[in-house]
Amino acid sequence: MAIYDYRSIENKWQKKWEETQIYKFKEEDTENKLYCLEMFSYPSGANLHVGHWYNYGLTDSWARMKKMQGYNVFHPQGFDAFGLPAENYAIKTGIHPMDSTYKNIETMEKQLKSMGATFNWEYEVVTCNPDYYKWTQWIFIKLFENGLAYRKNAPVNWCSSCKTVLANEQVIDGSCERCKNPVTKRDLTQWFFRITEYAQELLDFLPEIDWPEKTKKIQNNWIGRSEGAEIEFSIDESHLSFKVFTTRPDTLYGVTYMVLAPENELVDKITSEAYKEEVEAYKEMAKKQSEIERMSTVREKTGVFTGAYAINPVNGEKVPVWIADYVLAGYGTGCVMAVPGHDERDYEFASKYNLPIKRVIKGEALQDDALPFTEYGVLVESMEFSGKTSAEAIRLIVEKLNQQKKGELKVNYRLRDWLVSRQRYWGAPIPIIHCEKCGVVPVPEKDLPVELPYDVEFTPDGESPLAKNEAFLYTVCPKCGGRAKRDPDTLDTFVCSSWYFLRYPDNKNEKEAFNREWINKMLPVDKYVGGAEHAAMHLLYARFFTKALRDMGYLDFDEPFLSLVHQGTILGPDGNRMSKSKGNTISPDDYINEYGSDIFRLYLAFGFAYTEGGPWNDDGIKAIAKFVNRVERIVEKYISEKEKKGKNKIESEEKELNFVRHTAIKGVTEDADKFQFNTSIARQMELVNALNKYDAVEEKNYRILEDTIKDLLLLMAPFAPHFTEEMWEQMGYEYSIFNQKWPEFDKNVLVKDSIEMVIQVNGKVRDKINAPADLSQNDAEKMALENERIIKLIQGKKLVKVIVVPNKLINIVVK
RNA sequence: GCCGAAGUGGUGGAAUUGGCAGACGCGCUGGACUCAAAAUCCAGUGUAGGCGACUACGUGCGGGUUCGAGUCCCGCCUUCGGCACCA
């Protein structure tokens, strides 16, 4: 049902746009710059899917509007090219990741270009290019030099079937994403980034940025700040002591035992001979259990006694020290004081192992004495603190402990340091050399990049593929010149994507990752658009990188993305997430072949609430084709009636048309600015309806008609760029529609001199009257009370009061 | 279990933040054009009752505040996200 020859006009205008460099970013005009960015994509072998179009197509519409509004729009594009899929594909097919990735990038570039978007391709960034990952490695070294990258032995996610380490995000409900096998822990020496150093600042700046509240909340929870105290307990008959973190120092008199995580290094030191065997067995058991088992909260708690006793610093009481896997090694100090009277988990554990339960907090209301009381209240049986409220006691007890150097206020975060090592091939090599004499030595800057060798076996057997390539692995220590080994691991791909937005404006810089002065002008990103699934990963890492680079002196702003929008998800027609296995995928190509890319884009804009998404629907796209068809006919008709131009007769119809026209300008501008494209298109449709209506007028004012058609085309241009450019030309205007000024609405046209006011009686609409605008309260009241229908309705009733909302309604309250 | 978001016609979705609920579409009904169909155009379309002007009801459920509630408050239900023994 193609109405205009979209294929030839798409080609025609894309060619012309490229020839005339119409979207070129003007580097000399940073005053007006607007950095508009979509999350870059992974170069998969498949064609662009609906999600790409929804994200890129509509953000492009927004960028086009901004260009027309006079901004110097910077709209780069690139590829997040490292990652596991290419490597898995290689294991399956034998096709090298580098070959498949570059081939995919080539086709994807072609497809993205055929969208007809405003991308500034000359600033392209591809993360697997050595001239990019050279600087990823450079940043790693800077972080290392500044103490923000460190190495430690830690338990990591391990899939025994794939024989490889998995990233946290690849563990789905405790199972391996690829083979569905349960994930276990394995101790490995790994590289970490000290993101926890920035936990507080990452929290503090959240209120400052224009992000969806939902996303801020997720980051807030992920960072998980909690306030409490760190309290030191000493081990009885020993010089050893250990600290616990608690948010409830007011329950200190209720402590009846202590628990260490089985992995805690103190365990071996304090366990007495008699209990060694049992403790060892428990540790072994804890290590072997799968993630699914460990994560289960319904599972009964287990633990064993170590034979050691700890001394409560406030009353000198001796309490037994246990180990149990309900205490996490990675949070706080890996030890807790157990207060079964006031904590559900401790209560469950104490009940099972017959440990004493003491209650030291009383609530106001009557509480069931059999269960733990976890609220705040008033202290009892707590020596001099008895009778104090929880809040007072927390302050006083910590103060007292502080004097004895046995405790202090402390803030803990749930956020963990970011594990960046990966035992994979297709990523940026970690630029570190391990020398037996000199230890960990960073690769000198002049030797960067550490290039990824092409010739590598990537069979998944648990060993890093790079470790099997001797030519890569063995090198010379930059410090002592002796034989040394390279770090065989690669960096998590999230490292590469944590700074790509800094590289775009300066992507050809060979001397540095980016020029400080230049990116200070170009950043932060003004509008960032991408999926909500990155809330606690990429979006957090990128913020951390920005802050770390700032503190190391490489840039001067605090936040990378000032304003963030998440697009929704377009589902299959059946309401499920599109997937090949469900057979419910929608191919943009089919629709673009039938209707053209403009209509496809317009439908995405009109058919969904942008941040919500929803199921695909065929009928909707036909409706949009109809709409575009109508616009085309309006233009055609106008052109065919050209000779009639010049009549100039003011009529009320003309006033009406003008009113709709300026309502549309206002609505389209404001709604599109907020990414509310559906209502933005609705205003355009209203304008088309008004134009059709005006067309029926006998003596048309062709000047007004032309101006209105002109405005309609301008308002439509960001959403249907090829079509409107063509119509613009046919109207006889000069190239290009995208070099025109965005229309502005005239406030005066929107002011009506006569207004329809609603008259209510007791809140129910009873009549509508035409009243002059800006009627005074008294006059409005008078008009309503003189209204015939109203007089009938309120007859015989007592008038209580009259409420007047200017230019809107009059509510008469009667009894 | 905890945190968050959302529930509006047959349907996708609107509602200047407390002021005419259902904009704009889809679908449906009727009409015009046509030998007929498609396309196009016009009119109608929340539900129930009435020939009708109209009346009653209506934004997940139950209460409340208010002259007035889709919007605010309290208590539930359902769905979808995020976290999950975080001491």
Side-chain angles (χ1 to χ4, degrees):
Chain A
M1 200 192 61
I3 16 116
Y4 58 97
D5 186 0
Y6 56 84
R7 216 187 303 254
S8 72
I9 71 157
E10 277 176 21
N11 287 338
K12 170 181 165 185
W13 292 114
Q14 281 174 24
K15 223 176 122 198
K16 179 108 185 210
W17 291 334
E18 202 174 325
E19 277 167 17
T20 54
Q21 304 231 334
I22 185 168
Y23 309 122
K24 193 176 164 58
F25 177 71
K26 298 175 202 74
E27 292 200 347
E28 66 283 1
D29 181 23
T30 48
E31 281 294 297
N32 263 322
K33 75 91 190 175
L34 187 137
Y35 192 161
C36 171
L37 183 66
E38 297 99 326
M39 291 179 185
F40 62 172
S41 47
Y42 181 82
S44 82
N47 287 350
L48 291 191
H49 53 72
V50 180
H52 286 121
W53 272 89
Y54 197 53
N55 183 354
Y56 296 153
L58 295 187
T59 306
D60 179 63
S61 294
W62 187 86
R64 282 175 185 273
M65 179 175 81
K66 289 293 154 189
K67 172 177 164 51
M68 291 169 82
Q69 286 174 347
Y71 291 97
N72 182 19
V73 176
F74 183 60
H75 191 198
Q77 187 55 264
F79 293 97
D80 190 11
F82 275 135
L84 201 53
E87 198 167 332
N88 291 344
Y89 184 72
I91 292 164
K92 214 166 104 188
T93 64
I95 298 171
H96 195 281
M98 195 180 288
D99 298 342
S100 63
T101 300
Y102 278 107
K103 188 169 156 269
N104 289 347
I105 287 176
E106 201 183 312
T107 38
M108 213 157 158
E109 272 174 3
K110 219 165 100 193
Q111 290 185 48
L112 282 167
K113 281 174 186 167
S114 77
M115 280 180 75
T118 59
F119 298 132
N120 302 117
W121 283 104
E122 60 276 27
Y123 296 91
E124 184 178 16
V125 157
V126 175
T127 59
C128 69
N129 280 353
D131 62 7
Y132 180 82
Y133 69 71
K134 169 180 180 174
W135 299 110
T136 307
Q137 292 171 338
W138 175 83
I139 292 171
F140 179 96
I141 289 166
K142 291 297 145 192
L143 291 171
F144 174 71
E145 287 169 357
N146 286 275
L148 291 171
Y150 66 96
R151 225 169 154 238
K152 78 167 176 197
N153 187 274
V156 293
N157 301 310
W158 177 257
C159 174
S160 55
S161 153
C162 301
K163 291 194 166 58
T164 180
V165 157
L166 296 173
N168 273 337
E169 62 272 22
Q170 288 160 331
V171 181
I172 312 291
D173 291 328
S175 298
C176 170
E177 170 200 46
R178 273 181 76 200
C179 66
K180 314 290 176 212
N181 246 55
V183 167
T184 51
K185 292 283 180 190
R186 184 180 231 208
D187 285 329
L188 283 173
T189 301
Q190 306 279 290
W191 283 98
F192 290 82
F193 285 166
R194 215 180 286 280
I195 190 172
T196 52
E197 182 86 13
Y198 286 88
Q200 191 57 50
E201 197 195 324
L202 288 166
L203 279 179
D204 289 343
F205 273 80
L206 282 176
E208 315 280 319
I209 48 184
D210 172 33
W211 285 23
E213 286 305 317
K214 186 177 74 180
T215 309
K216 293 197 207 178
K217 200 86 196 173
I218 290 173
Q219 290 211 349
N220 200 77
N221 294 344
W222 186 268
I223 295 167
R225 178 190 160 102
S226 72
E227 288 177 18
E230 218 166 62
I231 296 166
E232 190 171 340
F233 283 68
S234 49
I235 301 286
D236 190 35
E237 291 175 7
S238 143
H239 59 280
L240 292 169
S241 70
F242 63 94
K243 286 177 179 167
V244 300
F245 174 74
T246 177
T247 54
R248 296 296 301 271
D250 54 321
T251 63
L252 203 45
Y253 287 89
V255 172
T256 58
Y257 64 102
M258 309 294 291
V259 196
L260 306 184
E263 299 87 355
N264 196 304
E265 44 185 41
L266 207 66
V267 174
D268 290 339
K269 294 182 194 157
I270 63 166
T271 302
S272 65
E273 271 314 311
Y275 292 90
K276 271 235 145 80
E277 212 170 301
E278 248 180 288
V279 165
E280 275 313 309
Y282 188 81
K283 276 170 66 180
E284 216 31 57
M285 190 277 293
K287 204 178 202 170
K288 274 198 192 126
Q289 71 186 323
S290 72
E291 270 301 279
I292 299 175
E293 288 162 350
R294 200 198 64 79
M295 275 164 45
S296 169
T297 45
V298 288
R299 184 179 61 122
E300 220 179 274
K301 294 196 176 7
T302 57
V304 292
F305 180 44
T306 61
Y309 288 85
I311 294 166
N312 189 331
V314 283
N315 56 10
E317 222 173 275
K318 267 168 63 174
V319 291
V321 181
W322 287 60
I323 65 170
D325 64 0
Y326 80 88
V327 172
L328 305 175
Y331 184 75
T333 60
C335 326
V336 302
M337 56 180 227
V339 189
H342 303 287
D343 182 281
E344 279 180 38
R345 295 150 304 180
D346 299 341
Y347 177 80
E348 192 194 322
F349 192 81
S351 305
K352 181 174 172 186
Y353 292 104
N354 287 321
L355 289 154
I357 298 167
K358 245 162 96 179
R359 299 203 53 172
V360 293
I361 310 281
K362 275 251 183 308
E364 273 175 40
L366 280 173
Q367 304 292 336
D368 183 358
D369 278 335
L371 294 167
F373 175 67
T374 57
E375 317 278 309
Y376 288 110
V378 176
L379 276 71
V380 293
E381 292 174 48
S382 300
M383 292 162 61
E384 73 259 41
F385 304 105
S386 298
K388 305 274 186 218
T389 65
S390 288
E392 290 169 332
I394 287 172
R395 192 172 51 83
L396 294 169
I397 290 175
V398 175
E399 218 165 76
K400 180 180 167 183
L401 287 168
N402 208 349
Q403 282 164 15
Q404 303 166 7
K405 303 234 174 330
K406 291 240 163 117
E408 58 185 350
L409 290 175
K410 168 96 185 172
V411 173
N412 248 322
Y413 302 90
R414 168 177 284 165
L415 182 70
R416 309 290 156 85
D417 277 341
W418 173 15
L419 194 164
V420 296
S421 302
R422 295 289 178 268
Q423 286 70 46
R424 294 184 202 158
Y425 166 69
W426 192 231
I430 292 177
I432 290 289
I433 290 165
H434 301 282
C435 170
E436 271 184 33
K437 251 196 261 164
C438 314
V440 171
V441 183
V443 174
E445 196 176 324
K446 66 173 173 53
D447 295 338
L448 293 179
V450 177
E451 277 208 50
L452 199 56
Y454 186 86
D455 227 358
V456 158
E457 292 249 347
F458 21 66
T459 43
D461 58 4
E463 205 185 352
S464 191
L466 292 180
K468 288 176 241 167
N469 181 314
E470 298 207 345
F472 172 84
L473 191 66
Y474 292 103
T475 185
V476 169
C477 172
K479 256 191 194 163
C480 69
R483 197 170 143 90
K485 274 188 186 173
R486 290 190 189 281
D487 198 300
D489 290 347
T490 52
L491 288 167
D492 180 5
T493 52
F494 276 111
V495 176
C496 306
S497 59
S498 291
W499 74 282
Y500 75 109
F501 48 91
L502 301 171
R503 181 68 179 175
Y504 274 135
D506 207 8
N507 68 332
K508 296 191 179 63
N509 195 331
E510 287 175 4
K511 295 196 188 81
E512 48 194 350
F514 41 80
N515 179 274
R516 177 173 174 171
E517 243 177 276
W518 176 237
I519 68 155
N520 281 342
K521 280 185 190 161
M522 291 296 293
L523 278 107
V525 172
D526 295 285
K527 186 67 82 178
Y528 196 34
V529 186
E533 67 274 15
H534 293 106
M537 305 293 292
H538 162 64
L539 287 167
L540 196 65
Y541 297 150
R543 294 182 65 212
F544 158 60
F545 258 49
T546 302
K547 291 169 192 300
L549 287 164
R550 175 203 61 197
D551 290 345
M552 296 188 297
Y554 297 107
L555 50 82
D556 297 311
F557 44 92
D558 301 311
E559 286 288 336
F561 317 122
L562 292 182
S563 178
L564 173 72
V565 175
H566 294 308
Q567 82 273 18
T569 313
I570 306 298
L571 306 168
D574 59 358
N576 291 307
R577 213 165 243 284
M578 285 189 203
S579 77
K580 275 182 202 151
S581 59
K582 282 201 187 107
N584 64 348
T585 50
I586 293 296
S587 156
D589 301 2
D590 295 346
Y591 289 95
I592 289 162
N593 280 334
E594 193 174 350
Y595 297 102
S597 71
D598 283 355
I599 285 174
F600 188 74
R601 188 198 298 219
L602 265 171
Y603 171 57
L604 292 176
F606 180 66
F608 308 88
Y610 189 67
T611 55
E612 301 297 317
W616 176 266
N617 174 333
D618 260 7
D619 295 333
I621 196 159
K622 286 183 192 135
I624 288 293
K626 232 156 94 177
F627 164 63
V628 172
N629 196 354
R630 269 187 206 133
V631 177
E632 193 188 16
R633 282 204 309 271
I634 287 171
V635 172
E636 269 172 6
K637 180 141 192 258
Y638 175 82
I639 292 168
S640 73
E641 291 175 355
K642 243 180 191 166
E643 70 279 2
K644 293 186 191 165
K645 270 188 193 175
K647 284 192 184 161
N648 196 353
K649 199 174 166 196
I650 306 290
E651 294 285 356
S652 63
E653 286 95 341
E654 188 187 315
K655 235 178 177 175
E656 177 59 25
L657 177 65
N658 240 349
F659 180 81
V660 179
R661 173 180 162 199
H662 286 269
T663 306
I665 295 173
K666 184 170 191 281
V668 172
T669 309
E670 291 174 358
D671 292 351
D673 195 57
K674 291 181 282 187
F675 279 68
Q676 286 172 18
F677 303 118
N678 52 349
T679 50
S680 198
I681 306 296
R683 298 291 91 77
Q684 294 170 35
M685 288 175 167
E686 282 167 359
L687 184 53
V688 168
N689 292 344
L691 272 164
N692 275 329
K693 200 172 163 197
Y694 184 73
D695 191 57
V697 173
E698 289 264 334
E699 301 248 302
K700 280 176 270 187
N701 177 348
Y702 280 87
R703 202 169 47 81
I704 295 294
L705 186 59
E706 177 175 353
D707 285 353
T708 309
I709 292 173
K710 204 173 181 177
D711 278 349
L712 172 66
L713 292 178
L714 290 167
L715 293 176
M716 266 184 89
F719 307 97
H722 309 89
F723 170 73
T724 49
E725 188 79 281
E726 177 69 20
M727 293 300 110
W728 190 256
E729 186 184 61
Q730 287 189 20
M731 286 289 286
Y733 304 137
E734 69 168 25
Y735 175 82
S736 149
I737 192 167
F738 296 104
N739 284 335
Q740 308 305 313
K741 225 177 130 240
W742 187 253
E744 277 173 28
F745 68 92
D746 183 346
K747 260 200 296 201
N748 300 318
V749 177
L750 295 179
V751 176
K752 286 191 158 175
D753 20 70
S754 159
I755 277 169
E756 190 181 63
M757 282 189 88
V758 170
I759 309 180
Q760 298 181 333
V761 176
N762 287 343
K764 284 190 177 163
V765 181
R766 294 304 177 184
D767 205 358
K768 293 168 186 182
I769 52 165
N770 273 313
D774 298 319
L775 201 63
S776 76
Q777 301 244 338
N778 280 340
D779 290 348
E781 194 174 324
K782 220 171 122 195
M783 258 187 104
L785 290 171
E786 281 167 5
N787 182 288
E788 273 181 47
R789 294 198 47 193
I790 301 303
I791 290 171
K792 271 188 210 157
L793 276 160
I794 63 174
Q795 219 164 31
K797 288 175 180 159
K798 197 181 149 203
L799 187 71
V800 181
K801 64 171 152 177
V802 179
I803 282 140
V804 178
V805 181
N807 291 335
K808 236 166 225 165
L809 65 78
I810 304 143
N811 188 13
I812 299 160
V813 187
V814 290
K815 244 186 176 169

